[in-house]
mmCIF file of all heavy atoms in Angstrom:
data_model
loop_
_atom_site.group_PDB
_atom_site.id
_atom_site.type_symbol
_atom_site.label_atom_id
_atom_site.label_comp_id
_atom_site.label_asym_id
_atom_site.label_seq_id
_atom_site.Cartn_x
_atom_site.Cartn_y
_atom_site.Cartn_z
ATOM 1 N N ALA A 37 70.564 -32.766 117.129
ATOM 2 C CA ALA A 37 69.392 -32.644 118.007
ATOM 3 C C ALA A 37 69.331 -33.767 119.024
ATOM 4 O O ALA A 37 69.111 -33.538 120.204
ATOM 5 C CB ALA A 37 68.110 -32.634 117.178
ATOM 6 N N CYS A 38 69.487 -35.010 118.529
ATOM 7 C CA CYS A 38 69.341 -36.148 119.431
ATOM 8 C C CYS A 38 70.534 -37.067 119.424
ATOM 9 O O CYS A 38 70.545 -38.033 120.160
ATOM 10 C CB CYS A 38 68.091 -36.940 119.052
ATOM 11 S SG CYS A 38 66.602 -35.966 119.053
ATOM 12 N N PRO A 242 49.684 -42.437 122.062
ATOM 13 C CA PRO A 242 50.679 -43.278 121.405
ATOM 14 C C PRO A 242 51.374 -44.196 122.389
ATOM 15 O O PRO A 242 51.363 -43.943 123.604
ATOM 16 C CB PRO A 242 51.666 -42.251 120.841
ATOM 17 C CG PRO A 242 51.549 -41.079 121.752
ATOM 18 C CD PRO A 242 50.102 -41.031 122.168
ATOM 19 N N PRO A 243 52.009 -45.249 121.897
ATOM 20 C CA PRO A 243 52.807 -46.097 122.789
ATOM 21 C C PRO A 243 53.979 -45.294 123.355
ATOM 22 O O PRO A 243 54.492 -44.367 122.719
ATOM 23 C CB PRO A 243 53.291 -47.225 121.878
ATOM 24 C CG PRO A 243 53.161 -46.701 120.479
ATOM 25 C CD PRO A 243 52.023 -45.726 120.500
ATOM 26 N N THR A 244 54.399 -45.635 124.542
ATOM 27 C CA THR A 244 55.487 -44.910 125.194
ATOM 28 C C THR A 244 56.853 -45.492 124.841
ATOM 29 O O THR A 244 57.885 -44.872 125.121
ATOM 30 C CB THR A 244 55.315 -44.932 126.714
ATOM 31 O OG1 THR A 244 55.255 -46.297 127.161
ATOM 32 C CG2 THR A 244 54.037 -44.202 127.114
ATOM 33 N N LYS A 245 56.861 -46.671 124.245
ATOM 34 C CA LYS A 245 58.114 -47.301 123.832
ATOM 35 C C LYS A 245 58.165 -47.406 122.309
ATOM 36 O O LYS A 245 57.136 -47.396 121.636
ATOM 37 C CB LYS A 245 58.254 -48.684 124.471
ATOM 38 C CG LYS A 245 58.396 -48.657 125.991
ATOM 39 C CD LYS A 245 58.611 -50.056 126.545
ATOM 40 C CE LYS A 245 58.781 -50.015 128.064
ATOM 41 N NZ LYS A 245 59.000 -51.378 128.629
ATOM 42 N N LEU A 246 59.362 -47.522 121.794
ATOM 43 C CA LEU A 246 59.560 -47.636 120.355
ATOM 44 C C LEU A 246 58.817 -48.844 119.790
ATOM 45 O O LEU A 246 58.919 -49.951 120.327
ATOM 46 C CB LEU A 246 61.057 -47.763 120.057
ATOM 47 C CG LEU A 246 61.444 -48.016 118.595
ATOM 48 C CD1 LEU A 246 61.188 -46.762 117.753
ATOM 49 C CD2 LEU A 246 62.918 -48.422 118.505
ATOM 50 N N TRP A 274 52.346 -37.618 115.726
ATOM 51 C CA TRP A 274 51.147 -38.309 116.219
ATOM 52 C C TRP A 274 50.060 -37.341 116.688
ATOM 53 O O TRP A 274 48.961 -37.300 116.132
ATOM 54 C CB TRP A 274 51.531 -39.260 117.360
ATOM 55 C CG TRP A 274 50.388 -40.103 117.871
ATOM 56 C CD1 TRP A 274 49.239 -39.672 118.473
ATOM 57 C CD2 TRP A 274 50.281 -41.532 117.804
ATOM 58 N NE1 TRP A 274 48.422 -40.720 118.797
ATOM 59 C CE2 TRP A 274 49.042 -41.885 118.398
ATOM 60 C CE3 TRP A 274 51.095 -42.546 117.322
ATOM 61 C CZ2 TRP A 274 48.627 -43.200 118.518
ATOM 62 C CZ3 TRP A 274 50.683 -43.866 117.442
ATOM 63 C CH2 TRP A 274 49.460 -44.186 118.027
ATOM 64 N N LYS A 275 50.315 -36.543 117.711
ATOM 65 C CA LYS A 275 49.254 -35.843 118.444
ATOM 66 C C LYS A 275 48.452 -34.902 117.565
ATOM 67 O O LYS A 275 47.214 -34.884 117.616
ATOM 68 C CB LYS A 275 49.876 -35.068 119.618
ATOM 69 C CG LYS A 275 48.872 -34.709 120.719
ATOM 70 C CD LYS A 275 48.328 -35.982 121.393
ATOM 71 C CE LYS A 275 47.302 -35.646 122.467
ATOM 72 N NZ LYS A 275 46.741 -36.871 123.073
ATOM 73 N N ILE A 306 68.121 -40.080 113.789
ATOM 74 C CA ILE A 306 67.559 -40.140 115.129
ATOM 75 C C ILE A 306 67.648 -41.563 115.709
ATOM 76 O O ILE A 306 67.603 -42.550 114.971
ATOM 77 C CB ILE A 306 66.092 -39.647 115.143
ATOM 78 C CG1 ILE A 306 65.247 -40.376 114.096
ATOM 79 C CG2 ILE A 306 66.017 -38.148 114.961
ATOM 80 C CD1 ILE A 306 63.785 -39.991 114.117
ATOM 81 N N PRO A 307 67.757 -41.669 117.028
ATOM 82 C CA PRO A 307 67.912 -42.989 117.644
ATOM 83 C C PRO A 307 66.806 -43.977 117.269
ATOM 84 O O PRO A 307 67.060 -45.176 117.159
ATOM 85 C CB PRO A 307 67.895 -42.674 119.149
ATOM 86 C CG PRO A 307 68.421 -41.279 119.237
ATOM 87 C CD PRO A 307 67.884 -40.577 118.033
ATOM 88 N N GLY A 308 65.585 -43.473 117.085
ATOM 89 C CA GLY A 308 64.487 -44.369 116.736
ATOM 90 C C GLY A 308 64.694 -45.088 115.419
ATOM 91 O O GLY A 308 64.257 -46.236 115.251
ATOM 92 N N VAL A 325 56.960 -46.259 115.192
ATOM 93 C CA VAL A 325 56.347 -45.273 116.084
ATOM 94 C C VAL A 325 57.423 -44.941 117.115
ATOM 95 O O VAL A 325 57.835 -45.796 117.901
ATOM 96 C CB VAL A 325 55.076 -45.801 116.756
ATOM 97 C CG1 VAL A 325 54.468 -44.708 117.636
ATOM 98 C CG2 VAL A 325 54.058 -46.260 115.704
ATOM 99 N N ILE A 326 57.876 -43.696 117.097
ATOM 100 C CA ILE A 326 59.076 -43.307 117.825
ATOM 101 C C ILE A 326 58.723 -42.281 118.901
ATOM 102 O O ILE A 326 58.274 -41.174 118.585
ATOM 103 C CB ILE A 326 60.122 -42.713 116.857
ATOM 104 C CG1 ILE A 326 60.482 -43.743 115.780
ATOM 105 C CG2 ILE A 326 61.362 -42.252 117.617
ATOM 106 C CD1 ILE A 326 61.409 -43.208 114.701
ATOM 107 N N PRO A 327 58.909 -42.621 120.183
ATOM 108 C CA PRO A 327 58.621 -41.652 121.255
ATOM 109 C C PRO A 327 59.609 -40.494 121.202
ATOM 110 O O PRO A 327 60.688 -40.596 120.596
ATOM 111 C CB PRO A 327 58.794 -42.490 122.524
ATOM 112 C CG PRO A 327 59.705 -43.604 122.138
ATOM 113 C CD PRO A 327 59.420 -43.908 120.695
ATOM 114 N N PRO A 328 59.267 -39.366 121.824
ATOM 115 C CA PRO A 328 60.111 -38.163 121.728
ATOM 116 C C PRO A 328 61.568 -38.388 122.106
ATOM 117 O O PRO A 328 62.468 -37.823 121.484
ATOM 118 C CB PRO A 328 59.435 -37.190 122.694
ATOM 119 C CG PRO A 328 58.006 -37.620 122.724
ATOM 120 C CD PRO A 328 58.022 -39.110 122.590
ATOM 121 N N ALA A 329 61.825 -39.216 123.126
ATOM 122 C CA ALA A 329 63.199 -39.430 123.572
ATOM 123 C C ALA A 329 64.066 -40.065 122.495
ATOM 124 O O ALA A 329 65.295 -39.889 122.481
ATOM 125 C CB ALA A 329 63.216 -40.298 124.827
ATOM 126 N N ASP A 330 63.446 -40.805 121.572
ATOM 127 C CA ASP A 330 64.181 -41.429 120.469
ATOM 128 C C ASP A 330 64.001 -40.661 119.165
ATOM 129 O O ASP A 330 64.385 -41.147 118.093
ATOM 130 C CB ASP A 330 63.721 -42.880 120.273
ATOM 131 C CG ASP A 330 64.263 -43.808 121.345
ATOM 132 O OD1 ASP A 330 65.371 -43.522 121.865
ATOM 133 O OD2 ASP A 330 63.593 -44.804 121.662
ATOM 134 N N GLY A 331 63.367 -39.469 119.268
ATOM 135 C CA GLY A 331 63.141 -38.645 118.080
ATOM 136 C C GLY A 331 63.828 -37.309 118.211
ATOM 137 O O GLY A 331 65.048 -37.236 118.372
ATOM 138 N N TYR A 332 63.029 -36.225 118.187
ATOM 139 C CA TYR A 332 63.592 -34.878 118.260
ATOM 140 C C TYR A 332 63.464 -34.244 119.642
ATOM 141 O O TYR A 332 63.808 -33.076 119.816
ATOM 142 C CB TYR A 332 62.924 -33.978 117.214
ATOM 143 C CG TYR A 332 63.221 -34.407 115.804
ATOM 144 C CD1 TYR A 332 62.311 -35.175 115.085
ATOM 145 C CD2 TYR A 332 64.423 -34.069 115.203
ATOM 146 C CE1 TYR A 332 62.591 -35.592 113.790
ATOM 147 C CE2 TYR A 332 64.715 -34.474 113.911
ATOM 148 C CZ TYR A 332 63.801 -35.236 113.211
ATOM 149 O OH TYR A 332 64.088 -35.646 111.941
ATOM 150 N N GLY A 333 62.949 -35.003 120.608
ATOM 151 C CA GLY A 333 62.882 -34.496 121.966
ATOM 152 C C GLY A 333 62.113 -33.197 122.090
ATOM 153 O O GLY A 333 60.983 -33.072 121.602
ATOM 154 N N ASP A 334 62.727 -32.211 122.712
ATOM 155 C CA ASP A 334 62.078 -30.923 122.976
ATOM 156 C C ASP A 334 62.165 -29.954 121.803
ATOM 157 O O ASP A 334 61.700 -28.819 121.910
ATOM 158 C CB ASP A 334 62.714 -30.251 124.204
ATOM 159 C CG ASP A 334 62.430 -31.019 125.493
ATOM 160 O OD1 ASP A 334 61.419 -31.749 125.518
ATOM 161 O OD2 ASP A 334 63.222 -30.897 126.442
ATOM 162 N N GLN A 335 62.745 -30.356 120.700
ATOM 163 C CA GLN A 335 62.945 -29.451 119.570
ATOM 164 C C GLN A 335 61.802 -29.567 118.569
ATOM 165 O O GLN A 335 61.574 -30.627 117.999
ATOM 166 C CB GLN A 335 64.269 -29.739 118.866
ATOM 167 C CG GLN A 335 65.489 -29.358 119.698
ATOM 168 C CD GLN A 335 66.756 -29.325 118.865
ATOM 169 O OE1 GLN A 335 66.801 -29.856 117.770
ATOM 170 N NE2 GLN A 335 67.799 -28.703 119.387
ATOM 171 N N LEU A 341 55.642 -30.448 113.000
ATOM 172 C CA LEU A 341 56.394 -31.319 113.902
ATOM 173 C C LEU A 341 56.688 -30.571 115.198
ATOM 174 O O LEU A 341 57.775 -30.037 115.410
ATOM 175 C CB LEU A 341 57.703 -31.776 113.240
ATOM 176 C CG LEU A 341 58.530 -32.831 113.980
ATOM 177 C CD1 LEU A 341 57.675 -34.048 114.315
ATOM 178 C CD2 LEU A 341 59.721 -33.241 113.147
ATOM 179 N N PRO A 342 55.687 -30.500 116.110
ATOM 180 C CA PRO A 342 55.864 -29.776 117.377
ATOM 181 C C PRO A 342 56.893 -30.454 118.276
ATOM 182 O O PRO A 342 57.277 -31.612 118.071
ATOM 183 C CB PRO A 342 54.469 -29.835 118.007
ATOM 184 C CG PRO A 342 53.540 -30.205 116.903
ATOM 185 C CD PRO A 342 54.332 -31.042 115.959
ATOM 186 N N ALA A 343 57.328 -29.708 119.279
ATOM 187 C CA ALA A 343 58.226 -30.269 120.284
ATOM 188 C C ALA A 343 57.552 -31.438 121.000
ATOM 189 O O ALA A 343 56.326 -31.503 121.113
ATOM 190 C CB ALA A 343 58.614 -29.193 121.291
ATOM 191 N N LYS A 344 58.345 -32.382 121.454
ATOM 192 C CA LYS A 344 57.909 -33.559 122.206
ATOM 193 C C LYS A 344 56.930 -34.425 121.414
ATOM 194 O O LYS A 344 56.043 -35.072 121.984
ATOM 195 C CB LYS A 344 57.291 -33.143 123.547
ATOM 196 C CG LYS A 344 58.270 -32.407 124.452
ATOM 197 C CD LYS A 344 57.649 -32.042 125.800
ATOM 198 C CE LYS A 344 58.644 -31.323 126.684
ATOM 199 N NZ LYS A 344 58.074 -30.940 127.995
ATOM 200 N N SER A 345 57.114 -34.444 120.094
ATOM 201 C CA SER A 345 56.232 -35.250 119.244
ATOM 202 C C SER A 345 56.633 -36.713 119.244
ATOM 203 O O SER A 345 57.819 -37.057 119.200
ATOM 204 C CB SER A 345 56.276 -34.740 117.799
ATOM 205 O OG SER A 345 55.594 -33.523 117.651
ATOM 206 N N THR A 346 55.622 -37.570 119.288
ATOM 207 C CA THR A 346 55.808 -38.962 118.903
ATOM 208 C C THR A 346 55.745 -39.006 117.380
ATOM 209 O O THR A 346 54.842 -38.433 116.772
ATOM 210 C CB THR A 346 54.720 -39.855 119.506
ATOM 211 O OG1 THR A 346 54.896 -39.889 120.932
ATOM 212 C CG2 THR A 346 54.796 -41.276 118.964
ATOM 213 N N LEU A 347 56.705 -39.675 116.765
ATOM 214 C CA LEU A 347 56.825 -39.701 115.308
ATOM 215 C C LEU A 347 56.299 -41.014 114.758
ATOM 216 O O LEU A 347 56.469 -42.077 115.366
ATOM 217 C CB LEU A 347 58.290 -39.530 114.892
ATOM 218 C CG LEU A 347 59.044 -38.358 115.515
ATOM 219 C CD1 LEU A 347 60.493 -38.360 115.035
ATOM 220 C CD2 LEU A 347 58.372 -37.041 115.177
#
Side-chain angles (χ1 to χ4, degrees):
C38 303
T244 57
K245 294 183 179 180
L246 175 71
W274 185 297
K275 200 65 181 178
I306 52 177
V325 182
I326 301 175
D330 285 330
Y332 295 98
D334 293 336
Q335 290 194 344
L341 187 53
K344 299 182 180 179
S345 287
T346 293
L347 310 178

